[in-house]
Amino acid sequence: MRIYGITIVVIGFLLLSVAESLRFDLLSGNTKCIAEDIKANAMTVGKYSIINPSSDGHPLPETHKVTVRVTSSLGNNYHYGDHVETGQFAFTAPEAGDYMACFWAQDHKPSVTLTVDFDWRSGVAAKDWPNVAKKGQIDFMEMELRKLEDVVRSVHDEMIYLREREEEMQGINRATNSKMAWLGFLSLFVCLSVAGLQLWHLKNFFERKKLL
């Protein structure tokens, strides 16, 4: 598979880790990737489809197909669609980190621009609340309370996650400062040693020349 250009779109997800539906253009022969930072054990769902350029109801042309792959930062594959018009995926993230959905369109001459509609949601937004209400036979107020409970739990988990990341970054900063301090002492020792050797060499030189 030959890829002429890769465009990466990074989306930051704060608090609820919610992604709104987006629409983007994809030029044939190119790849566009969308990344999402997902916490461990968080549910995520996504669906995508190619927008039909024809307004009179004709089926999509053969050129309007994409290959889609969803992977984690560790390289694990969670979804693969080969030469498809539409698709969807859902999984629970086993590890925290950036998950990436990459769309690739086969090269055509002349080049073709595909419009992709992509909806990727995680966390509370990934739950299908209407079906939950229907299956559980609960009223509207109880459903809203459950949603609020999940929102509070999600915010709490996000705060713990951010605190752990902050402690991790502080540990890295402390280790970096310690290494820089040792490097500074080493540089000072090397400079003093070189200066001492130069003085010793000059002293011996002057003594040999009987200038001292």
Side-chain angles (χ1 to χ4, degrees):
M1 181 183 297
R2 189 176 183 185
I3 301 176
Y4 293 95
I6 297 178
T7 304
I8 299 178
V9 181
V10 179
I11 304 176
F13 296 88
L14 302 176
L15 295 179
L16 302 182
S17 298
V18 178
E20 296 297 337
S21 177
L22 59 90
R23 182 172 294 185
F24 59 88
D25 291 334
L26 178 62
L27 188 65
S28 60
N30 287 270
T31 296
K32 179 167 290 188
C33 294
I34 299 172
E36 179 179 0
D37 184 17
I38 304 178
K39 300 192 299 295
N41 300 320
M43 181 68 181
T44 183
V45 296
K47 58 182 179 179
Y48 54 88
S49 60
I50 308 299
I51 303 300
N52 196 336
S54 176
S55 59
D56 51 7
H58 284 82
L60 277 172
E62 187 63 25
T63 55
H64 283 58
K65 301 290 181 67
V66 293
T67 297
V68 184
R69 186 186 298 273
V70 180
T71 57
S72 68
S73 57
L74 299 180
N76 298 320
N77 186 34
Y78 291 95
H79 174 75
Y80 179 73
D82 186 21
H83 205 59
V84 295
E85 301 175 358
T86 183
Q88 58 185 4
F89 58 86
F91 60 89
T92 300
E95 70 269 353
D98 287 334
Y99 288 74
M100 188 169 293
C102 291
F103 298 79
W104 177 79
Q106 186 175 359
D107 194 16
H108 294 282
K109 300 298 182 183
S111 61
V112 178
T113 299
L114 290 72
T115 301
V116 183
D117 188 47
F118 184 40
D119 186 15
W120 195 357
R121 301 178 184 272
S122 61
V124 177
K127 291 189 176 182
D128 189 357
W129 288 105
N131 285 336
V132 171
K134 186 183 299 182
K135 293 178 181 179
Q137 296 299 319
I138 57 178
D139 57 18
F140 177 77
M141 184 63 68
E142 185 175 355
M143 184 184 71
E144 290 298 319
L145 289 175
R146 287 192 180 184
K147 290 173 65 175
L148 288 175
E149 181 182 4
D150 271 6
V151 169
V152 172
R153 186 181 296 111
S154 177
V155 172
H156 180 261
D157 292 342
E158 186 71 24
M159 291 176 63
I160 294 177
Y161 173 72
L162 292 176
R163 186 179 302 170
E164 292 175 351
R165 291 292 295 270
E166 181 182 3
E167 292 176 354
E168 181 182 352
M169 294 302 299
Q170 288 178 353
I172 294 175
N173 289 335
R174 285 193 294 268
T176 302
N177 292 335
S178 177
K179 292 179 180 178
M180 291 300 296
W182 279 108
L183 181 61
F185 285 128
L186 180 60
S187 300
L188 180 61
F189 174 76
V190 171
C191 291
L192 293 176
S193 300
V194 171
L197 288 173
Q198 288 178 339
L199 290 174
W200 176 79
H201 176 73
L202 290 173
K203 180 181 179 181
N204 290 338
F205 175 79
F206 289 135
E207 286 178 349
R208 287 196 303 269
K209 298 295 183 178
K210 298 181 179 181
L211 297 176
L212 290 178

